[in-house]
Amino acid sequence: MYRLSVSASRMALCILTAVMLMVIPFKQAVYAHAYSASYTTLDLTKSQTGLTFAIDELSVIELAGGDSNDNKMLEPEEFERIKEKFAGIVKQNLTIKIGGEVQSEMQLQSIALDRQGDATKVILKAAYPPVTAGKPVSLKDTFYQNDSKANYVDLLTIHYGTESSTSALSAQNRSWTMMLTDNEISGLSQDLQSMKAQPSPNHEKSAVGSHAVDAVKKNDAPSDWFSFFKLGMNHILGGYDHLLFLFSLLIARQTFKQYATMITAFTIAHSLTLTLTVFNIIHVSPAIVEPLIALSICYVALENIARQTVSLRWVLTFLFGLIHGMGFADILKEMEIPKAELATDLISFNLGIETVQLTIVGVLIPLLYMLHRFKYARRIVISGSSLALLLGAVWLIERVFQA
């Protein structure tokens, strides 16, 4: 019986080590750009289809270069040298079709560097021909498509008349399609200037509605709620700091009741602040949130090293979960999600996060029970927590100095 227990424990140790190596790649762990996010807005009017494309500064550097002094920033003169090149990259990777025909003539209106600290973006504005009734309009995003290491999402907002819709283009689902009826075309603004002068959209209709379902199905695009569900899954899988925090919480020896209470506390806490942040009820700067997330990893790792048994960890987890929820919200905050869709998109996004989180917990807890039967389990906990402490400290230093 003892030999079987030791064998099972060693097997659990091997599996846990493999999980750590897959979940926390060293190359990306010390790099602050684990997630690339762009924000695309389509303004449909009778005279043109307006495109606004915004993407974070680090992604621009990855795609077009230009950072000659290697400070992860684009100085004004550096940006001037690469902005035309970047405009060409956007034209190549964002494909707009109307009635199945590629609209290759992009009229570039402006391209600018919007300097806002860590939130700095390059914003490109362009114009395409107008949509027509009965013909589908579609957008396809191929940024980072051939880069298996990239974790990229394009958060798309569409304005048409007094209506708006949203979609999250990520992973292999990078296409969006809709089709307007004659009545909807007649309700469009004449141009962008008159659109801006109109009252705020009532947001009571989804772009993937009764008139667009057939067009969407032809392109195998997911429904809006499912695109946000997958976004939540990809977001947690690409959030190495969140995964490392979860690992640090779980590796300490605990009872099933402690595990269940702790995970429940974390879920409630991050769901609360995620919701409050997305609804703009609270706002804490990423310059504060991101270092605190790294600090939470360090604190839990230190507690694992200093204490052989942990108690009331759910309280600590709840407090840190409030901080992690604000971090989850960052990717949605800048997206103009219509009020009628906000609840559905937010719930779908959160469910995607929870699906991955509960899957990880369900896999790790049985392995951890086997691990803690091993006589060297304490050493393994200290070693794993030391690694978490080291990576958390690297992130903490990076984020403090970047802030």
Side-chain angles (χ1 to χ4, degrees):
M1 179 67 70
Y2 174 76
R3 289 181 179 177
L4 180 62
S5 177
V6 170
S7 177
S9 299
R10 287 176 177 171
M11 182 182 297
L13 172 60
C14 293
I15 297 174
L16 282 170
T17 302
V19 170
M20 285 184 64
L21 291 175
M22 287 187 294
V23 169
I24 313 166
F26 286 96
K27 185 174 181 180
Q28 291 204 31
V30 296
Y31 188 51
H33 194 222
Y35 217 102
S36 297
S38 65
Y39 301 85
T40 300
T41 301
L42 290 179
D43 293 310
L44 309 184
T45 70
K46 293 178 180 178
S47 61
Q48 67 178 43
T49 298
L51 168 75
T52 301
F53 179 76
I55 190 168
D56 64 282
E57 183 178 28
L58 283 177
S59 293
V60 175
I61 293 172
E62 288 177 351
L63 294 165
D67 183 20
S68 56
N69 57 5
D70 199 29
N71 65 346
K72 302 296 188 293
M73 294 174 59
L74 287 172
E75 309 299 339
E77 60 276 9
E78 292 175 333
F79 177 65
E80 285 297 318
R81 286 195 292 267
I82 60 97
K83 69 178 186 179
E84 295 301 326
K85 176 182 178 181
F86 180 69
I89 293 173
V90 173
K91 183 177 180 179
Q92 180 181 357
N93 287 279
L94 284 184
T95 303
I96 292 180
K97 292 183 180 180
I98 298 176
E101 297 182 3
V102 176
Q103 305 300 306
S104 59
E105 294 300 320
M106 179 181 77
Q107 180 184 350
L108 182 63
Q109 297 178 326
S110 66
I111 180 169
L113 182 67
D114 184 21
R115 173 67 63 197
Q116 295 182 12
D118 287 345
T120 295
K121 296 180 179 65
V122 171
I123 301 175
L124 178 147
K125 294 186 178 183
Y128 289 85
V131 298
T132 55
K135 292 185 177 181
V137 55
S138 66
L139 180 141
K140 184 175 182 179
D141 185 321
T142 58
F143 278 100
Y144 292 103
Q145 194 169 52
N146 298 320
D147 187 349
S148 59
K149 296 180 180 179
N151 201 347
Y152 172 78
V153 60
D154 185 347
L155 295 173
L156 175 64
T157 302
I158 309 95
H159 297 142
Y160 56 111
T162 59
E163 312 293 342
S164 289
S165 184
T166 57
S167 187
L169 310 181
S170 63
Q172 299 304 310
N173 299 301
R174 300 286 203 87
S175 298
W176 163 89
T177 303
M178 71 178 295
M179 185 163 58
L180 300 184
T181 64
D182 289 325
N183 288 337
E184 288 168 330
I185 290 292
S186 64
L188 295 180
S189 303
Q190 184 61 39
D191 50 36
L192 292 178
Q193 287 70 29
S194 57
M195 172 182 275
K196 293 177 182 178
Q198 283 184 340
S200 299
N202 56 34
H203 305 317
E204 292 179 354
K205 184 175 184 181
S206 170
V208 188
S210 59
H211 301 295
V213 171
D214 291 339
V216 171
K217 287 183 178 178
K218 287 179 183 178
N219 287 276
D220 297 322
S223 62
D224 282 348
W225 76 266
F226 190 61
S227 71
F228 280 88
F229 176 80
K230 295 194 70 173
L231 175 62
M233 294 181 66
N234 293 330
H235 193 52
I236 185 68
L237 287 172
Y240 301 110
D241 47 1
H242 299 296
L243 292 177
L244 187 58
F245 177 72
L246 183 62
F247 175 82
S248 300
L249 289 174
L250 294 173
I251 195 173
R253 185 170 190 169
Q254 297 164 79
T255 65
F256 181 80
K257 181 179 179 181
Q258 285 178 305
Y259 280 131
T261 304
M262 178 179 66
I263 294 303
T264 301
F266 184 60
T267 298
I268 293 173
H270 78 65
S271 298
L272 177 62
T273 48
L274 169 62
T275 302
L276 293 176
T277 303
V278 171
F279 276 92
N280 289 317
I281 296 174
I282 62 173
H283 175 72
V284 180
S285 170
I288 297 174
V289 172
E290 293 302 318
L292 286 178
I293 289 174
L295 183 62
S296 71
I297 298 170
C298 296
Y299 187 95
V300 174
L302 280 172
E303 186 180 53
N304 291 343
I305 295 170
R307 301 176 61 186
Q308 291 195 26
T309 58
V310 295
S311 60
L312 297 177
R313 175 158 275 192
W314 70 269
V315 178
L316 178 69
T317 304
F318 183 85
L319 295 175
F320 282 136
L322 295 173
I323 298 167
H324 282 252
M326 299 177 199
F328 288 143
D330 279 347
I331 199 165
L332 297 180
K333 281 196 302 183
E334 296 185 51
M335 191 178 184
E336 298 176 9
I337 301 177
K339 291 180 181 179
E341 299 179 17
L342 186 55
T344 300
D345 292 347
L346 180 59
I347 291 171
S348 301
F349 179 76
N350 202 31
L351 284 176
I353 292 174
E354 291 309 316
T355 298
V356 173
Q357 180 177 287
L358 292 177
T359 300
I360 292 173
V361 171
V363 170
L364 285 183
I365 286 182
L367 297 174
L368 288 168
Y369 273 127
M370 288 190 287
L371 172 65
H372 286 297
R373 295 177 186 173
F374 188 37
K375 65 179 180 179
Y376 297 114
R378 178 60 186 162
R379 296 182 184 179
I380 295 170
V381 171
I382 292 175
S383 298
S385 297
S386 298
L387 174 62
L389 176 61
L390 174 62
L391 294 176
V394 171
W395 279 320
L396 179 60
I397 294 170
E398 282 185 343
R399 294 173 184 184
V400 167
F401 281 99
Q402 284 181 355

